[in-house]
Amino acid sequence: MDLWFTEYQTPAVGLACRVTRTLLRQKTAYHDMAILETEAFGRMLVLNGAIQLSTADEFVYHEMLAHVPLQAHGRPRRVLVVGGGDGGTVREVLRHPSVEEVVLAEIDQEVVSACQAYLPEVAGGLSDPRVTLAIGDGVAHVESHPGSYDVILVDSTDPVGPATRLFSREFLESCRRALRPGGVVAAQTESPFYHREVMARCFSDFQATFPVTGVYLAPVPTYPSGLWSFMVGSLGPDPSRPADLDGLAAGATRYYTPEVHRAAFVLPRFVQELVGLVQPAVRP
Amino acid sequence: MDLWFTEYQTPAVGLACRVTRTLLRQKTAYHDMAILETEAFGRMLVLNGAIQLSTADEFVYHEMLAHVPLQAHGRPRRVLVVGGGDGGTVREVLRHPSVEEVVLAEIDQEVVSACQAYLPEVAGGLSDPRVTLAIGDGVAHVESHPGSYDVILVDSTDPVGPATRLFSREFLESCRRALRPGGVVAAQTESPFYHREVMARCFSDFQATFPVTGVYLAPVPTYPSGLWSFMVGSLGPDPSRPADLDGLAAGATRYYTPEVHRAAFVLPRFVQELVGLVQPAVRP
């Protein structure tokens, strides 16, 4: 059988993947969830038609969402992941020897259970004794934990439906209050090719909320356009520089290095323009 | 009518684009050529089913193929572009005030004519008095022009069919001989996610041919995986550093900046491993 899954990344662009097996298809309280085995990208988690991860390229996204803010912080002890029920971000957080506790605030228990069953190389870290699962509303969790975390990682789905609130300025304010002194927040913030308005608004919110901010980029082939952005807000550390080169064992990562960390903040001219870091040039 | 074009980037992955108009469909001596107007990516040149450029993202590819070696060289006067019949690379080369002559060695006159007719913002530079069109075999052109060029840019299609020879060590040797002292060669070398063997072999050939070499990356959403690689061989200049910051007018580019130039050579760990710059790590 010639079976294909297509994600319509916009009404005018689709990424089509040949599927070797449908491992799971389930309606949860929040998502139309599927776990597919694809020929090109390995196993894939799909929520409401959108690829959340593939085992071929999730290392880029998860390493860059986790290690940039954790390395910038230097000595993170308590870390919160909002969303990220697949466990990939938690897996990367656990590579930092200073981390004592990771809380995963995920709204959908069934996503967690499905990933534990079908994506053990991604979700395996969730059974680590340092991890606490807080199934429920991530916004409420953040609001009710002031001064609690060294690093908060917002590993959300796209800004539609329940995830919309994770892209609001109010939520960023709550994140700031939930940080300990010297804390750092990082969030996935969509594609500079496809979601310019989302990025522009998000960065304006980060700048209004945090004394130190930054934007960084990484390639994720199964995400729309293949280029993904992240934003970071800090109460102290410069997010574009790793504070402690000994925090992460050399060779533990496949994408991240301290040099990649710094280079990821070097933005192409059009991205500097779209987030307002430079004025748009007048071009011939 | 709901018209879609799908490029099967591999037998298991397709990029599907909604088409608003088919501007041209033509069989040339070398290519099944189409120029499409797409909703997401603007106008698109497709050769033998593979997207060569879209007006939405060609600036990244053409700026990075041209400006990295030209800025590394510093004072390029004579430049050869092999392939690149769409004219986008030539357009970028012409932004360098030191350039006196650009030769375009393109095998397919009909590609040039079609782009001049339908993609004037890409091909417009081809009518510049500094440009010489050399329609014919690029390999023969390079072989017959020893000691002639400051910079050679290999703007080839994928390594199938006639372009295969542009990925051979013999061709790189010819390019080295065609350079003037201090000359630089750069080539597009496919995707680190999809074409690992091509990249590994190409970099080995560059290292065997040139005293100074480098690999750099840039995101191109309409190319397979969205992440593209380039390799550079130099007879003198360090390709990873712009030699002359005044060579290119500030604001002339949408992707390239001198800082982006340096950052593009900072390779993720898995790319360092696949081209043999570091030993593969043993990972848990």
Side-chain angles (χ1 to χ4, degrees), chain B residues 256-275:
Chain B
Y256 181 91
T257 69
E259 296 74 25
V260 163
H261 181 143
R262 288 184 282 264
F265 284 85
V266 176
L267 301 178
R269 177 84 198 190
F270 83 101
V271 181
Q272 293 182 49
E273 291 181 6
L274 84 87
V275 296

Side-chain angles (χ1 to χ4, degrees), chain A residues 197-209:
Chain A
E197 284 166 31
V198 171
M199 279 188 66
R201 190 176 48 70
C202 276
F203 194 56
S204 163
D205 289 345
F206 269 83
Q207 288 179 305
T209 308

Side-chain angles (χ1 to χ4, degrees), chain B residues 205-224:
Chain B
D205 289 346
F206 269 84
Q207 288 178 306
T209 308
F210 294 96
V212 188
T213 56
V215 181
Y216 61 101
L217 302 174
V220 186
T222 59
Y223 285 1

Side-chain angles (χ1 to χ4, degrees), chain A residues 49-62:
Chain A
I51 298 168
Q52 301 302 304
L53 69 85
S54 87
T55 53
D57 63 3
E58 56 87 12
F59 68 99
V60 181
Y61 174 82
H62 290 131

Side-chain angles (χ1 to χ4, degrees), chain A residues 3 13 25 29 34 36 41-42 80 104-105 108 125 208 213 215 242 245 256 277:
Chain A
L3 184 67
V13 184
R25 183 79 192 272
L36 307 176
F41 300 115
L80 171 66
L104 180 73
D108 196 339
T213 56
V215 180
L245 301 188
Y256 181 92
L277 285 169

